[in-house]
Amino acid sequence: MDFCKGVNIAIVCKVFGFTGASAEVIKIKFEKYGGRAEIYSDKTNLNQISHIIVPSKITENALEKILNKKLSDLKCYIVNEEWAYNTIIKKQVQNPSFYIWSETPSQAQKRKPQTICQVEKLPKLNLNFQSTQNLNYHLTKEIEKLKNLYEVLGDKGRSITYSNIIRSLRLLPFKVENTKQLEGMENFGKKTLNKIKEILEKGTLERLKSFRQNERLQVMESLTQVHGVGNDLAYFLYKKGILTISSLQNYAIINPGEFTKTQLIGIELHNEFSSKISRDEVENISQTIKSQVFAYDKEAFFEICGSYRRGRELCGDVDIVIGTNDTDLLYKVVENCSIITHVLSLSGHKFIGVGKIQDLHRRIDIYCVKPNEFWFAVQLIIIDFYD
DNA sequence: GCCG
DNA sequence: CAGTACG
DNA sequence: CGGCCGATACTG
């Protein structure tokens, strides 16, 4: 399968908030089918590019700023992300002239006749499970602890670097046995290599032990486990002498006015959220939501993702992706679904909230995307680029 | 922490 | 706007 | 040194 051979794309493409990560999925797919793809950066040589993929919502000014070029000077096609989706889904490079990006919808519509996949014909993308498997869990689990601690400390720089390192390790196609295998890789500097060496030899990090002895860190790390409590609030609470989640719970009952609605829900239900969910229960919850979805759109796509999809026996939350053209579907489902008890945040394409079907309240996330984005969203939510 |  | 959360 | 994932997205 190399129908993308000769196609050389640069992606400025960002979709429904997953942004860089969804661009990565497009890149992976194009390369799998023999094409060449890169995420656009200032190093990109536009002379070698056949298609630039841009988000439909971007403005012309912004795009020219990013590309640092007048659009009229470009020789390649500037197409929207649907071109990329449909090329991959239909396994055939699409005629770019149907997908030429344009800032104003009316212009775009004129040039963009009915090219979108018929929903009932939309084929299922082969999910690449290899890319979802983390062969370097022995390293990432330790580095993740380090990342969390720096996050708690408010050291954004280190926590971002460690996130990048974790992501690279997760995507590696082999298990690391030796730091030589990582030398020269982006983001892997001397100190990181030393830490990895230490983990390979001893299984843990000395640095972690010293962090464990720091009371403030320990308290803040624990408090930030509560949904809605970040490091700012955690530090504030620590200074106030609130050192445990149960004392936070008591404090919040007496002083509810000091917290947002979201935080109050997180505090109240924290104990329930921290208990894991069986696959059976995930399926039961999903089934209820699914029937609600189909009540509004019989053609909708529906998949359970997240850790359930990664095969875990016990899941932290319920992750659902819906594919539909109905932009109000998510609102309707959330409002009318009997098992949904709380809304933490809600928009047309993302629900973060709480539901209950048995004895405990459970965290539920629902993503709602257009049908031709569906399998990309599913893959994205399984892969876990960041974590 | 890493990178320019 | 800052804070928080999601992948 | 200074900046760091997302022209994220929601809440208050």
Side-chain angles (χ1 to χ4, degrees):
Chain A
M1 271 288 219
D2 58 352
F3 61 90
C4 287
K5 205 167 180 177
V7 179
N8 191 351
I9 62 173
I11 310 167
V12 184
C13 184
K14 322 271 183 184
V15 232
F16 72 94
F18 292 120
T19 60
S22 52
E24 292 229 31
V25 173
I26 293 176
K27 176 172 171 342
I28 290 168
K29 291 295 176 191
F30 266 83
E31 287 173 347
K32 182 177 167 195
Y33 294 130
R36 223 198 58 84
E38 63 183 288
I39 311 293
Y40 179 84
S41 74
D42 357 341
K43 293 177 204 153
T44 301
N45 180 357
L46 286 178
N47 292 324
Q48 297 173 357
I49 299 293
S50 58
H51 303 71
I52 301 178
I53 297 170
V54 303
S56 338
K57 283 185 271 179
I58 202 168
T59 64
E60 183 159 338
N61 263 342
L63 188 55
E64 290 193 333
K65 223 173 190 173
I66 291 172
L67 298 177
N68 200 12
K69 253 192 178 137
K70 279 254 171 274
L71 298 189
S72 47
D73 292 345
L74 290 167
K75 285 182 234 137
C76 48
Y77 294 110
I78 305 179
V79 291
N80 56 38
E81 67 266 25
E82 269 174 20
W83 174 84
Y85 292 144
N86 286 352
T87 291
I88 295 165
I89 286 170
K90 295 182 176 178
K91 300 203 189 307
Q92 184 180 15
V93 179
Q94 300 296 295
N95 182 346
S97 53
F98 294 141
Y99 300 89
I100 299 297
W101 169 84
S102 167
E103 182 171 339
T104 53
S106 59
Q107 268 179 350
Q109 215 141 46
K110 251 188 254 165
R111 284 189 263 167
K112 206 177 77 178
Q114 303 311 312
T115 54
I116 301 181
C117 277
Q118 287 302 304
V119 166
E120 65 271 22
K121 287 186 191 164
L122 192 61
K124 188 162 169 166
L125 263 193
N126 245 342
L127 296 174
N128 179 358
F129 279 106
Q130 210 195 340
S131 68
T132 73
Q133 243 163 24
N134 177 8
L135 301 175
N136 290 294
Y137 182 72
H138 59 306
L139 301 176
T140 56
K141 75 172 200 292
E142 292 302 305
I143 298 177
E144 206 157 322
K145 290 179 200 161
L146 210 49
K147 189 209 89 176
N148 286 338
L149 287 164
Y150 278 119
E151 212 165 53
V152 168
L153 274 174
D155 188 338
K156 231 175 172 181
R158 282 184 175 78
S159 97
I160 287 171
T161 297
Y162 284 126
S163 287
N164 292 335
I165 287 167
I166 292 166
R167 183 180 58 182
S168 300
L169 289 172
R170 294 174 85 113
L171 291 175
L172 232 44
F174 56 87
K175 181 171 175 178
V176 174
E177 314 275 2
N178 188 313
T179 50
K180 277 222 162 51
Q181 296 168 289
L182 303 173
E183 273 172 23
M185 274 179 61
E186 203 176 41
N187 287 313
F188 287 78
K190 214 174 169 183
K191 303 213 179 166
T192 300
L193 289 179
N194 280 339
K195 287 195 175 64
I196 288 176
K197 195 173 167 196
E198 192 184 337
I199 298 171
L200 287 174
E201 284 167 5
K202 301 180 196 163
T204 49
L205 285 168
E206 210 49 44
R207 174 69 56 86
L208 280 174
K209 277 187 198 156
S210 56
F211 277 148
R212 292 272 167 249
Q213 284 156 12
N214 182 327
E215 187 208 32
R216 175 167 80 94
L217 265 186
Q218 206 155 286
V219 169
M220 287 174 65
E221 198 194 8
S222 140
L223 293 180
T224 50
Q225 300 306 304
V226 178
H227 186 106
V229 179
N231 53 354
D232 262 54
L233 179 56
Y235 188 40
F236 173 83
L237 294 168
Y238 170 76
K239 283 186 293 191
K240 248 180 143 42
I242 297 169
L243 307 183
T244 64
I245 289 176
S246 66
S247 68
L248 169 58
Q249 286 167 328
N250 292 332
Y251 181 82
I253 290 170
I254 305 165
N255 308 288
E258 292 186 24
F259 301 90
T260 65
K261 251 197 302 184
T262 309
Q263 286 163 343
L264 288 174
I265 296 170
I267 293 167
E268 183 195 340
L269 301 178
H270 175 266
N271 302 348
E272 299 181 45
F273 291 165
S274 50
S275 89
K276 298 280 186 188
I277 317 170
S278 70
R279 294 181 69 80
D280 274 355
E281 190 175 345
V282 172
E283 282 161 20
N284 287 339
I285 289 172
S286 302
Q287 190 52 49
T288 312
I289 296 170
K290 187 175 181 175
S291 57
Q292 196 71 40
V293 168
F294 286 151
Y296 294 108
D297 180 0
K298 277 178 282 184
E299 314 271 80
F301 289 77
F302 186 101
E303 286 288 332
I304 313 172
C305 297
S307 44
Y308 175 88
R309 189 61 179 256
R310 291 199 294 275
R312 296 282 291 275
E313 282 309 315
L314 293 172
C315 308
D317 61 358
V318 182
D319 266 314
I320 286 165
V321 180
I322 299 167
T324 177
N325 282 313
D326 181 353
T327 50
D328 289 329
L329 182 91
L330 191 51
Y331 295 112
K332 294 188 264 186
V333 168
V334 167
E335 190 165 332
N336 296 310
C337 191
S338 56
I339 64 159
I340 289 177
T341 57
H342 303 73
V343 177
L344 294 167
S345 99
L346 178 63
S347 72
H349 64 234
K350 185 167 164 183
F351 163 80
I352 294 176
V354 185
K356 180 170 140 172
I357 200 164
Q358 295 172 8
D359 45 345
L360 293 179
H361 288 89
R362 304 300 196 180
R363 281 275 295 102
I364 300 175
D365 292 348
I366 308 176
Y367 299 87
C368 192
V369 301
K370 287 184 281 175
N372 66 341
E373 293 173 359
F374 180 70
W375 291 107
F376 295 85
V378 169
Q379 176 141 17
L380 207 47
I381 290 177
I382 296 169
I383 286 181
D384 250 2
F385 280 105
Y386 300 87
D387 195 80

